[in-house]
Amino acid sequence: VVDPNKLLIMNESSISLSPSHNQQRPIAVVKHQGHDETDLSLNHGKPLNATKDGDSRVYRMVALDLDGTLLQSNHELADEQVEYLRRLDAVGVTICIATGRAPPSVYEHVKKLAFPKPLPVVCSNGARGLLLSFNNNDNEAEITAVSSAEPTLNRNQEEVFYTPVTGDVVRKTIQLAKKMGYCTQYYLDDGIYANPITSSHHRLLQVYKDITRSDIVVVEDD
């Protein structure tokens, strides 16, 4: 259990992750809501330390959103970010991904980070918690990089928690969405499903697929 005072949560409204050009001291600039910016740096092999005057907190865990936070405009991790996060991991800071995405659209980023131990991931809009890792010793050409509801042989996935909504709530939500002309997208285990009604829905689903590199199963929910 991580002390909340030692947990730094970064989402699209609070962080700009900017590895420094100085390889000896990469930094992240964190914009706390209602506070000034805080400079967080690797402190000579010690845990992540807040270096602003008067701030003596030492962070043990960093939780990062993906879209609009960690990922670049091309929806990928930059090599500099990967190097920085690996260095944080190496000095004992636990890195966690916290995203609304389903697990399959997180796999490629976990694989690229290639931490020596499983990476904590909170996903599916907070409904699932996983420990994810990949066997990166496999031949790259033989590895499925992302997103399929089918198992990926080199992936290790341990479920920590799973809190789905009830079937009754799902049925009512789908019915209401159809009545209002909305497209419903939902996650079941590692699958992503949607019931697009209009051509606009289909276009939006294609955009989502392109951004997340995910497979989406189109279904009829009557």
Side-chain angles (χ1 to χ4, degrees):
V1 177
V2 177
D3 183 340
N5 292 321
K6 296 180 180 179
L7 170 61
L8 181 61
I9 299 176
M10 301 177 180
N11 57 36
E12 59 187 324
S13 64
S14 65
I15 179 173
S16 171
L17 186 63
S18 308
S20 170
H21 295 296
N22 180 353
Q23 295 300 315
Q24 301 302 315
R25 189 174 178 272
I27 64 171
V29 176
V30 181
K31 299 176 181 177
H32 296 283
Q33 294 180 352
H35 296 78
D36 295 332
E37 294 184 358
T38 301
D39 174 17
L40 301 174
S41 64
L42 290 176
N43 188 16
H44 303 292
K46 297 179 182 179
L48 195 65
N49 189 46
T51 59
K52 184 183 175 184
D53 291 344
D55 192 345
S56 60
R57 289 173 295 179
V58 176
Y59 293 100
R60 302 288 182 177
M61 180 176 182
V62 178
L64 292 156
D65 189 10
L66 289 178
D67 299 291
T69 301
L70 191 58
L71 301 185
Q72 303 296 296
S73 58
N74 61 358
H75 313 293
E76 296 179 0
L77 282 168
D79 292 340
E80 294 83 0
Q81 292 172 305
V82 171
E83 179 185 355
Y84 177 53
L85 291 175
R86 285 177 181 169
R87 293 180 69 183
L88 288 183
D89 177 74
V91 298
V93 177
T94 298
I95 306 299
C96 172
I97 289 176
T99 177
R101 292 185 176 201
S105 53
V106 179
Y107 294 156
E108 67 167 319
H109 308 301
V110 175
K111 180 181 176 299
K112 183 171 182 177
L113 286 170
F115 288 167
K117 57 182 179 293
L119 176 68
V121 175
V122 179
C123 54
S124 301
N125 289 316
R128 296 184 73 185
L130 306 171
L131 291 174
L132 283 175
S133 61
F134 282 82
N135 178 6
N136 287 316
N137 294 324
D138 290 348
N139 187 318
E140 187 72 21
E142 298 176 356
I143 292 175
T144 302
V146 292
S147 69
S148 172
E150 299 178 358
T152 303
L153 294 179
N154 72 314
R155 186 181 77 247
N156 300 304
Q157 179 169 311
E158 177 185 346
E159 192 161 80
V160 179
F161 66 85
Y162 181 39
T163 55
V165 295
T166 65
D168 184 55
V169 170
V170 171
R171 285 188 292 272
K172 290 180 178 178
T173 301
I174 292 174
Q175 291 169 3
L176 179 61
K178 281 196 170 185
K179 183 178 179 180
M180 299 180 69
Y182 294 152
C183 174
T184 306
Q185 179 173 302
Y186 52 91
Y187 309 139
L188 181 61
D189 295 326
D190 282 357
I192 306 175
Y193 303 86
N195 64 324
I197 302 171
T198 68
S199 58
S200 177
H201 292 165
H202 283 277
R203 287 195 299 272
L204 289 172
L205 282 180
Q206 187 59 53
V207 170
Y208 184 86
K209 290 171 68 173
D210 293 342
I211 289 175
T212 64
R213 300 191 179 103
S214 299
D215 294 331
I216 300 177
V217 180
V218 175
V219 297
E220 295 292 338
D221 294 309
D222 294 323

